[in-house]
Amino acid sequence: EAGSVLSGNGNTSADPEVLVAIGGLSANMGSANITEIEFVTTSFDKSDGGNIDVLVRFNEPVTVTGTPRVSITNGNQGSGSGRGPHLANFLSGSTTNELTFRCTIAAANSATNAGDILVIGANALALNSGTIKDTGQSGTNATITSSAGIGTAAGSITVAA
């Protein structure tokens, strides 16, 4: 109430003010963070080829534009060297907190050899001229990082012959 002892405002012509507290708001402020990365695909056979899908979870819904990528490192444990990384392009999940990325490798392709171990390392997600931003926010994340623990928690895939 304007100009009353209760408000602490001696200005009798001031407009009344209303203060509002919104519970749980602090958990959604700031940019979205990666909470988990995991392989959806659990095995890969070089002779058959196929898709390797990766799921990236955020702590809140995000909107995606363009084609961000997840880099899948090939340890080259099989015979030969110089294979990888493999790039899994954004596939689906915009406006949710779970984004799916896909890498397609043709049968008998030289991108993998039997015995290679595929892993996801730290900071594997690249925007690739796209954007990943908090849904409903105007600010775009310029870079998105994940700790080594998040990337390595995805596990690994050993390529079969």
Side-chain angles (χ1 to χ4, degrees), residues 5-159:
V5 176
L6 296 176
S7 69
N9 184 352
N11 183 356
T12 56
S13 62
D15 291 329
E17 296 180 32
V18 176
L19 298 176
V20 178
I22 301 173
L25 184 61
S26 63
N28 292 324
M29 294 182 74
S31 61
N33 296 312
I34 296 171
T35 59
E36 183 179 9
I37 300 175
E38 69 176 279
F39 280 113
V40 176
T41 305
T42 57
S43 63
F44 185 80
D45 188 321
K46 175 184 174 66
S47 59
D48 293 340
N51 298 320
I52 299 174
D53 290 348
V54 176
L55 185 68
V56 178
R57 285 191 181 92
F58 286 83
N59 63 332
E60 61 185 290
V62 294
T63 300
V64 179
T65 63
T67 312
R69 296 175 168 166
V70 170
S71 180
I72 301 170
T73 302
N74 185 340
N76 293 296
Q77 288 84 355
S79 62
S81 63
R83 297 176 300 280
H86 306 287
L87 299 173
N89 292 318
F90 172 70
L91 180 66
S92 65
S94 187
T95 71
T96 73
N97 71 320
E98 295 184 345
L99 305 181
T100 302
F101 295 79
R102 175 170 286 170
C103 173
T104 301
I105 301 175
N109 190 293
S110 62
T112 59
N113 278 343
D116 285 353
I117 298 176
L118 309 178
V119 298
I120 299 169
N123 304 323
L125 181 57
L127 293 175
N128 187 35
S129 299
T131 64
I132 298 176
K133 62 183 180 179
D134 301 343
T135 299
Q137 301 289 325
S138 59
T140 299
N141 294 326
T143 59
I144 298 172
T145 60
S146 63
S147 70
I150 290 174
T152 56
S156 63
I157 298 173
T158 300
V159 177

